[in-house]
Amino acid sequence: MPHDGLPAGYRLLSLESVDSTNAEALRRAQARETGPLWIRADRQTGGRGRSGRSWSSPPGNLYASLLIRLAVPPERASELSLVAGVALHRTIAMLLPTETAAGRLYLKWPNDLLLDAAKLAGILIESSITPGTPAITAIIGIGINVATHPDDLGRAATHLGLYGVETEPAQLLKRVAAALDLEIKAWLARGFRPIREEWTARAHRLGVEVSVNGKAGRIEGQFAGLAEDGALVIKLPDGSEHRVSYGDVSLI
Ligand code: BTN
């Protein structure tokens, strides 16, 4: 039986306020909670974004984290980021009018969701390895701008309300949870290749000029797709290919 409208087997913790749903999930993971557990809060006082940034979290938007233990070897943990990105894109594409979603809603590596080139949603994944077992404990944090968006990001942002989509965060979580459950199951059953293809079909087009701030500093080149492990492949001006496993990507 589904619980709280979530897929079977998932539990839900709804909070009025928390520092960060990811931080709360991490605390519970440290206390040996294995999930699958969704934690949703109406607002966050210390919302966290990628690369140590903060995530503005007033009431009205969706802030939720899934704590889940997955029987995959640790070296495959990075694939989860793209699994979550596909689920997020799939969820929002179904809410928007078809003509709006087509081409205007796309993923940017690793899992930013952009609508009309403005940030609509983000994912922050934190995972820990379970020593002695081929398993990871993953925390998949998802923020979706539903009713408002921050205007001080230093880059364009947007929210669903501007496109006529009015939904309660708690209702939206049910859709996200169902899509993520299906995508995780597909990944576990069929491996990463179909996810990689889905992700690529839902991303901005190949050949677009990108700039990456990563471990190796700033690199510019053309988006050339995803490697077998989900790394970003960039074609450099000299024709060589460069793989990026961690970094912030901007479309030029
Ligand atoms: C990004 O920088 O794009 C990732 C943003 C992730 C925000 C979500 S909101 C729910 C969860 N809790 C957090 O503190 N962060 C994630």
Side-chain angles (χ1 to χ4, degrees):
M1 273 288 285
H3 185 69
D4 289 313
L6 298 180
Y10 288 74
R11 285 170 291 129
L12 173 66
L13 174 67
S14 288
L15 303 169
E16 210 171 290
S17 179
V18 71
D19 52 351
S20 146
T21 54
N22 264 38
E24 180 61 30
L26 275 171
R27 287 190 287 269
R28 285 171 186 257
Q30 277 154 11
R32 299 191 184 279
E33 166 73 70
T34 53
L37 171 69
W38 274 103
I39 302 174
R40 187 191 70 77
D42 291 341
R43 65 186 187 99
Q44 300 181 117
T45 54
R48 312 204 294 224
R50 292 184 70 238
S51 306
R53 287 185 289 264
S54 61
W55 184 260
S56 163
S57 307
N61 295 334
L62 176 64
Y63 314 109
S65 302
L66 172 63
L67 164 59
I68 190 165
R69 193 159 181 278
L70 295 164
V72 289
E75 59 272 18
R76 290 189 57 201
S78 61
E79 298 172 11
L80 189 55
S81 175
L82 303 161
V83 173
V86 170
L88 182 61
H89 184 284
R90 204 185 277 285
T91 307
I92 303 298
M94 284 193 294
L95 287 174
L96 290 167
T98 316
E99 63 278 11
T100 307
R104 291 164 59 184
L105 179 75
Y106 56 82
L107 289 164
K108 177 169 76 68
W109 191 89
N111 51 29
D112 271 357
L113 187 64
L114 305 189
L115 180 53
D116 288 333
K119 177 128 171 170
L120 179 67
I123 299 175
L124 176 66
I125 301 208
E126 306 184 63
S127 55
S128 69
I129 294 159
T130 312
T133 58
I136 54 171
T137 300
I139 289 154
I140 306 167
I142 298 181
I144 304 178
N145 296 333
V146 179
T148 59
H149 68 262
D151 50 17
D152 54 358
L153 276 187
R155 58 200 163 128
T158 191
H159 64 272
L160 287 173
L162 292 179
Y163 292 82
V165 178
E166 281 170 22
T167 174
E168 287 300 316
Q171 296 305 317
L172 183 54
L173 174 61
K174 292 178 195 172
R175 291 174 178 267
V176 172
L180 189 53
D181 177 56
L182 285 179
E183 223 58 58
I184 288 175
K185 283 181 176 146
W187 175 53
L188 295 176
R190 299 205 297 275
F192 185 54
R193 185 189 286 255
I195 299 287
R196 192 171 140 225
E197 284 165 12
E198 268 294 323
W199 190 95
T200 308
R202 291 167 185 273
H204 51 76
R205 61 179 176 76
L206 289 168
V208 93
E209 295 286 334
V210 295
S211 157
V212 185
N213 248 331
K215 285 182 190 146
R218 193 178 182 80
I219 298 163
E220 287 190 7
Q222 288 179 346
F223 171 56
L226 297 180
E228 316 75 59
D229 63 351
L232 174 71
V233 182
I234 298 189
K235 190 171 175 196
L236 300 178
D238 67 3
S240 65
E241 285 194 342
H242 182 84
R243 290 180 179 206
V244 180
S245 300
Y246 186 85
D248 272 328
V249 177
S250 316
L251 305 182
I252 301 174

mmCIF file with all atom_site columns, all heavy atoms in Angstrom, residues 31-46:
data_model
loop_
_atom_site.group_PDB
_atom_site.id
_atom_site.type_symbol
_atom_site.label_atom_id
_atom_site.label_alt_id
_atom_site.label_comp_id
_atom_site.label_asym_id
_atom_site.label_entity_id
_atom_site.label_seq_id
_atom_site.pdbx_PDB_ins_code
_atom_site.Cartn_x
_atom_site.Cartn_y
_atom_site.Cartn_z
_atom_site.occupancy
_atom_site.B_iso_or_equiv
_atom_site.pdbx_formal_charge
_atom_site.auth_seq_id
_atom_site.auth_comp_id
_atom_site.auth_asym_id
_atom_site.auth_atom_id
_atom_site.pdbx_PDB_model_num
ATOM 1   N N   . ALA A 1 31 ? 22.637 8.030  12.519 1.00 0.00 ? 31 ALA A N   1
ATOM 2   C CA  . ALA A 1 31 ? 21.973 7.302  13.610 1.00 0.00 ? 31 ALA A CA  1
ATOM 3   C C   . ALA A 1 31 ? 21.438 5.955  13.107 1.00 0.00 ? 31 ALA A C   1
ATOM 4   O O   . ALA A 1 31 ? 20.526 5.383  13.691 1.00 0.00 ? 31 ALA A O   1
ATOM 5   C CB  . ALA A 1 31 ? 20.852 8.149  14.190 1.00 0.00 ? 31 ALA A CB  1
ATOM 6   N N   . ARG A 1 32 ? 21.997 5.493  11.984 1.00 0.00 ? 32 ARG A N   1
ATOM 7   C CA  . ARG A 1 32 ? 21.723 4.157  11.400 1.00 0.00 ? 32 ARG A CA  1
ATOM 8   C C   . ARG A 1 32 ? 20.358 4.014  10.734 1.00 0.00 ? 32 ARG A C   1
ATOM 9   O O   . ARG A 1 32 ? 19.886 2.901  10.491 1.00 0.00 ? 32 ARG A O   1
ATOM 10  C CB  . ARG A 1 32 ? 21.932 3.043  12.433 1.00 0.00 ? 32 ARG A CB  1
ATOM 11  C CG  . ARG A 1 32 ? 23.354 2.990  12.939 1.00 0.00 ? 32 ARG A CG  1
ATOM 12  C CD  . ARG A 1 32 ? 23.637 1.760  13.750 1.00 0.00 ? 32 ARG A CD  1
ATOM 13  N NE  . ARG A 1 32 ? 24.993 1.815  14.290 1.00 0.00 ? 32 ARG A NE  1
ATOM 14  C CZ  . ARG A 1 32 ? 26.080 1.498  13.620 1.00 0.00 ? 32 ARG A CZ  1
ATOM 15  N NH1 . ARG A 1 32 ? 25.984 1.101  12.369 1.00 0.00 ? 32 ARG A NH1 1
ATOM 16  N NH2 . ARG A 1 32 ? 27.265 1.583  14.177 1.00 0.00 ? 32 ARG A NH2 1
ATOM 17  N N   . GLU A 1 33 ? 19.712 5.119  10.417 1.00 0.00 ? 33 GLU A N   1
ATOM 18  C CA  . GLU A 1 33 ? 18.486 5.049  9.590  1.00 0.00 ? 33 GLU A CA  1
ATOM 19  C C   . GLU A 1 33 ? 18.920 4.650  8.183  1.00 0.00 ? 33 GLU A C   1
ATOM 20  O O   . GLU A 1 33 ? 19.891 5.192  7.657  1.00 0.00 ? 33 GLU A O   1
ATOM 21  C CB  . GLU A 1 33 ? 17.813 6.415  9.591  1.00 0.00 ? 33 GLU A CB  1
ATOM 22  C CG  . GLU A 1 33 ? 16.748 6.624  8.550  1.00 0.00 ? 33 GLU A CG  1
ATOM 23  C CD  . GLU A 1 33 ? 15.461 5.876  8.821  1.00 0.00 ? 33 GLU A CD  1
ATOM 24  O OE1 . GLU A 1 33 ? 14.745 6.251  9.776  1.00 0.00 ? 33 GLU A OE1 1
ATOM 25  O OE2 . GLU A 1 33 ? 15.201 4.906  8.080  1.00 0.00 ? 33 GLU A OE2 1
ATOM 26  N N   . THR A 1 34 ? 18.239 3.685  7.578  1.00 0.00 ? 34 THR A N   1
ATOM 27  C CA  . THR A 1 34 ? 18.624 3.263  6.223  1.00 0.00 ? 34 THR A CA  1
ATOM 28  C C   . THR A 1 34 ? 17.564 3.622  5.170  1.00 0.00 ? 34 THR A C   1
ATOM 29  O O   . THR A 1 34 ? 17.797 3.457  3.974  1.00 0.00 ? 34 THR A O   1
ATOM 30  C CB  . THR A 1 34 ? 18.873 1.741  6.165  1.00 0.00 ? 34 THR A CB  1
ATOM 31  O OG1 . THR A 1 34 ? 17.734 1.072  6.700  1.00 0.00 ? 34 THR A OG1 1
ATOM 32  C CG2 . THR A 1 34 ? 20.116 1.349  6.932  1.00 0.00 ? 34 THR A CG2 1
ATOM 33  N N   . GLY A 1 35 ? 16.385 4.084  5.625  1.00 0.00 ? 35 GLY A N   1
ATOM 34  C CA  . GLY A 1 35 ? 15.346 4.478  4.676  1.00 0.00 ? 35 GLY A CA  1
ATOM 35  C C   . GLY A 1 35 ? 14.705 3.277  4.012  1.00 0.00 ? 35 GLY A C   1
ATOM 36  O O   . GLY A 1 35 ? 14.842 2.160  4.515  1.00 0.00 ? 35 GLY A O   1
ATOM 37  N N   . PRO A 1 36 ? 14.020 3.445  2.879  1.00 0.00 ? 36 PRO A N   1
ATOM 38  C CA  . PRO A 1 36 ? 13.883 4.726  2.184  1.00 0.00 ? 36 PRO A CA  1
ATOM 39  C C   . PRO A 1 36 ? 12.954 5.686  2.935  1.00 0.00 ? 36 PRO A C   1
ATOM 40  O O   . PRO A 1 36 ? 11.833 5.330  3.273  1.00 0.00 ? 36 PRO A O   1
ATOM 41  C CB  . PRO A 1 36 ? 13.307 4.350  0.822  1.00 0.00 ? 36 PRO A CB  1
ATOM 42  C CG  . PRO A 1 36 ? 12.709 2.990  0.987  1.00 0.00 ? 36 PRO A CG  1
ATOM 43  C CD  . PRO A 1 36 ? 13.393 2.326  2.131  1.00 0.00 ? 36 PRO A CD  1
ATOM 44  N N   . LEU A 1 37 ? 13.472 6.871  3.173  1.00 0.00 ? 37 LEU A N   1
ATOM 45  C CA  . LEU A 1 37 ? 12.760 7.893  3.937  1.00 0.00 ? 37 LEU A CA  1
ATOM 46  C C   . LEU A 1 37 ? 12.846 9.229  3.204  1.00 0.00 ? 37 LEU A C   1
ATOM 47  O O   . LEU A 1 37 ? 13.940 9.689  2.883  1.00 0.00 ? 37 LEU A O   1
ATOM 48  C CB  . LEU A 1 37 ? 13.414 8.032  5.323  1.00 0.00 ? 37 LEU A CB  1
ATOM 49  C CG  . LEU A 1 37 ? 12.930 9.200  6.192  1.00 0.00 ? 37 LEU A CG  1
ATOM 50  C CD1 . LEU A 1 37 ? 11.490 8.972  6.659  1.00 0.00 ? 37 LEU A CD1 1
ATOM 51  C CD2 . LEU A 1 37 ? 13.854 9.394  7.394  1.00 0.00 ? 37 LEU A CD2 1
ATOM 52  N N   . TRP A 1 38 ? 11.683 9.819  2.938  1.00 0.00 ? 38 TRP A N   1
ATOM 53  C CA  . TRP A 1 38 ? 11.648 11.182 2.400  1.00 0.00 ? 38 TRP A CA  1
ATOM 54  C C   . TRP A 1 38 ? 11.502 12.156 3.564  1.00 0.00 ? 38 TRP A C   1
ATOM 55  O O   . TRP A 1 38 ? 10.694 11.931 4.476  1.00 0.00 ? 38 TRP A O   1
ATOM 56  C CB  . TRP A 1 38 ? 10.447 11.371 1.450  1.00 0.00 ? 38 TRP A CB  1
ATOM 57  C CG  . TRP A 1 38 ? 10.722 10.965 0.038  1.00 0.00 ? 38 TRP A CG  1
ATOM 58  C CD1 . TRP A 1 38 ? 10.316 9.826  -0.581 1.00 0.00 ? 38 TRP A CD1 1
ATOM 59  C CD2 . TRP A 1 38 ? 11.453 11.721 -0.943 1.00 0.00 ? 38 TRP A CD2 1
ATOM 60  N NE1 . TRP A 1 38 ? 10.751 9.810  -1.883 1.00 0.00 ? 38 TRP A NE1 1
ATOM 61  C CE2 . TRP A 1 38 ? 11.452 10.951 -2.135 1.00 0.00 ? 38 TRP A CE2 1
ATOM 62  C CE3 . TRP A 1 38 ? 12.116 12.947 -0.939 1.00 0.00 ? 38 TRP A CE3 1
ATOM 63  C CZ2 . TRP A 1 38 ? 12.078 11.386 -3.305 1.00 0.00 ? 38 TRP A CZ2 1
ATOM 64  C CZ3 . TRP A 1 38 ? 12.739 13.379 -2.100 1.00 0.00 ? 38 TRP A CZ3 1
ATOM 65  C CH2 . TRP A 1 38 ? 12.717 12.608 -3.262 1.00 0.00 ? 38 TRP A CH2 1
ATOM 66  N N   . ILE A 1 39 ? 12.268 13.216 3.536  1.00 0.00 ? 39 ILE A N   1
ATOM 67  C CA  . ILE A 1 39 ? 12.118 14.285 4.523  1.00 0.00 ? 39 ILE A CA  1
ATOM 68  C C   . ILE A 1 39 ? 11.769 15.549 3.743  1.00 0.00 ? 39 ILE A C   1
ATOM 69  O O   . ILE A 1 39 ? 12.501 15.931 2.821  1.00 0.00 ? 39 ILE A O   1
ATOM 70  C CB  . ILE A 1 39 ? 13.419 14.494 5.317  1.00 0.00 ? 39 ILE A CB  1
ATOM 71  C CG1 . ILE A 1 39 ? 13.815 13.188 6.008  1.00 0.00 ? 39 ILE A CG1 1
ATOM 72  C CG2 . ILE A 1 39 ? 13.269 15.630 6.331  1.00 0.00 ? 39 ILE A CG2 1
ATOM 73  C CD1 . ILE A 1 39 ? 15.157 13.227 6.699  1.00 0.00 ? 39 ILE A CD1 1
ATOM 74  N N   . ARG A 1 40 ? 10.627 16.148 4.073  1.00 0.00 ? 40 ARG A N   1
ATOM 75  C CA  . ARG A 1 40 ? 10.222 17.389 3.390  1.00 0.00 ? 40 ARG A CA  1
ATOM 76  C C   . ARG A 1 40 ? 10.003 18.478 4.425  1.00 0.00 ? 40 ARG A C   1
ATOM 77  O O   . ARG A 1 40 ? 9.499  18.191 5.532  1.00 0.00 ? 40 ARG A O   1
ATOM 78  C CB  . ARG A 1 40 ? 8.926  17.174 2.599  1.00 0.00 ? 40 ARG A CB  1
ATOM 79  C CG  . ARG A 1 40 ? 8.564  18.389 1.729  1.00 0.00 ? 40 ARG A CG  1
ATOM 80  C CD  . ARG A 1 40 ? 7.168  18.308 1.162  1.00 0.00 ? 40 ARG A CD  1
ATOM 81  N NE  . ARG A 1 40 ? 6.136  18.471 2.174  1.00 0.00 ? 40 ARG A NE  1
ATOM 82  C CZ  . ARG A 1 40 ? 5.779  19.646 2.712  1.00 0.00 ? 40 ARG A CZ  1
ATOM 83  N NH1 . ARG A 1 40 ? 6.372  20.760 2.339  1.00 0.00 ? 40 ARG A NH1 1
ATOM 84  N NH2 . ARG A 1 40 ? 4.829  19.691 3.628  1.00 0.00 ? 40 ARG A NH2 1
ATOM 85  N N   . ALA A 1 41 ? 10.413 19.685 4.117  1.00 0.00 ? 41 ALA A N   1
ATOM 86  C CA  . ALA A 1 41 ? 10.189 20.804 5.040  1.00 0.00 ? 41 ALA A CA  1
ATOM 87  C C   . ALA A 1 41 ? 9.513  21.947 4.293  1.00 0.00 ? 41 ALA A C   1
ATOM 88  O O   . ALA A 1 41 ? 9.756  22.164 3.104  1.00 0.00 ? 41 ALA A O   1
ATOM 89  C CB  . ALA A 1 41 ? 11.506 21.273 5.632  1.00 0.00 ? 41 ALA A CB  1
ATOM 90  N N   . ASP A 1 42 ? 8.641  22.686 5.029  1.00 0.00 ? 42 ASP A N   1
ATOM 91  C CA  . ASP A 1 42 ? 7.997  23.850 4.409  1.00 0.00 ? 42 ASP A CA  1
ATOM 92  C C   . ASP A 1 42 ? 9.023  24.937 4.116  1.00 0.00 ? 42 ASP A C   1
ATOM 93  O O   . ASP A 1 42 ? 8.898  25.681 3.149  1.00 0.00 ? 42 ASP A O   1
ATOM 94  C CB  . ASP A 1 42 ? 6.927  24.439 5.351  1.00 0.00 ? 42 ASP A CB  1
ATOM 95  C CG  . ASP A 1 42 ? 5.739  23.504 5.499  1.00 0.00 ? 42 ASP A CG  1
ATOM 96  O OD1 . ASP A 1 42 ? 5.578  22.618 4.639  1.00 0.00 ? 42 ASP A OD1 1
ATOM 97  O OD2 . ASP A 1 42 ? 4.983  23.655 6.482  1.00 0.00 ? 42 ASP A OD2 1
ATOM 98  N N   . ARG A 1 43 ? 10.016 25.043 5.023  1.00 0.00 ? 43 ARG A N   1
ATOM 99  C CA  . ARG A 1 43 ? 11.096 26.003 4.768  1.00 0.00 ? 43 ARG A CA  1
ATOM 100 C C   . ARG A 1 43 ? 12.374 25.490 5.400  1.00 0.00 ? 43 ARG A C   1
ATOM 101 O O   . ARG A 1 43 ? 12.343 24.646 6.303  1.00 0.00 ? 43 ARG A O   1
ATOM 102 C CB  . ARG A 1 43 ? 10.751 27.389 5.308  1.00 0.00 ? 43 ARG A CB  1
ATOM 103 C CG  . ARG A 1 43 ? 10.627 27.441 6.808  1.00 0.00 ? 43 ARG A CG  1
ATOM 104 C CD  . ARG A 1 43 ? 10.135 28.806 7.254  1.00 0.00 ? 43 ARG A CD  1
ATOM 105 N NE  . ARG A 1 43 ? 10.187 28.880 8.712  1.00 0.00 ? 43 ARG A NE  1
ATOM 106 C CZ  . ARG A 1 43 ? 11.156 29.464 9.384  1.00 0.00 ? 43 ARG A CZ  1
ATOM 107 N NH1 . ARG A 1 43 ? 12.154 30.060 8.758  1.00 0.00 ? 43 ARG A NH1 1
ATOM 108 N NH2 . ARG A 1 43 ? 11.152 29.460 10.697 1.00 0.00 ? 43 ARG A NH2 1
ATOM 109 N N   . GLN A 1 44 ? 13.504 25.979 4.909  1.00 0.00 ? 44 GLN A N   1
ATOM 110 C CA  . GLN A 1 44 ? 14.805 25.610 5.462  1.00 0.00 ? 44 GLN A CA  1
ATOM 111 C C   . GLN A 1 44 ? 15.508 26.891 5.927  1.00 0.00 ? 44 GLN A C   1
ATOM 112 O O   . GLN A 1 44 ? 15.430 27.929 5.256  1.00 0.00 ? 44 GLN A O   1
ATOM 113 C CB  . GLN A 1 44 ? 15.664 24.925 4.409  1.00 0.00 ? 44 GLN A CB  1
ATOM 114 C CG  . GLN A 1 44 ? 15.071 23.644 3.835  1.00 0.00 ? 44 GLN A CG  1
ATOM 115 C CD  . GLN A 1 44 ? 16.003 22.995 2.804  1.00 0.00 ? 44 GLN A CD  1
ATOM 116 O OE1 . GLN A 1 44 ? 16.470 21.908 3.002  1.00 0.00 ? 44 GLN A OE1 1
ATOM 117 N NE2 . GLN A 1 44 ? 16.245 23.684 1.709  1.00 0.00 ? 44 GLN A NE2 1
ATOM 118 N N   . THR A 1 45 ? 16.187 26.775 7.054  1.00 0.00 ? 45 THR A N   1
ATOM 119 C CA  . THR A 1 45 ? 16.907 27.952 7.556  1.00 0.00 ? 45 THR A CA  1
ATOM 120 C C   . THR A 1 45 ? 18.367 27.942 7.102  1.00 0.00 ? 45 THR A C   1
ATOM 121 O O   . THR A 1 45 ? 19.044 28.955 7.184  1.00 0.00 ? 45 THR A O   1
ATOM 122 C CB  . THR A 1 45 ? 16.849 27.995 9.088  1.00 0.00 ? 45 THR A CB  1
ATOM 123 O OG1 . THR A 1 45 ? 17.330 26.729 9.592  1.00 0.00 ? 45 THR A OG1 1
ATOM 124 C CG2 . THR A 1 45 ? 15.417 28.218 9.586  1.00 0.00 ? 45 THR A CG2 1
ATOM 125 N N   . GLY A 1 46 ? 18.841 26.792 6.620  1.00 0.00 ? 46 GLY A N   1
ATOM 126 C CA  . GLY A 1 46 ? 20.221 26.701 6.137  1.00 0.00 ? 46 GLY A CA  1
ATOM 127 C C   . GLY A 1 46 ? 20.294 25.814 4.914  1.00 0.00 ? 46 GLY A C   1
ATOM 128 O O   . GLY A 1 46 ? 21.127 24.896 4.850  1.00 0.00 ? 46 GLY A O   1
#
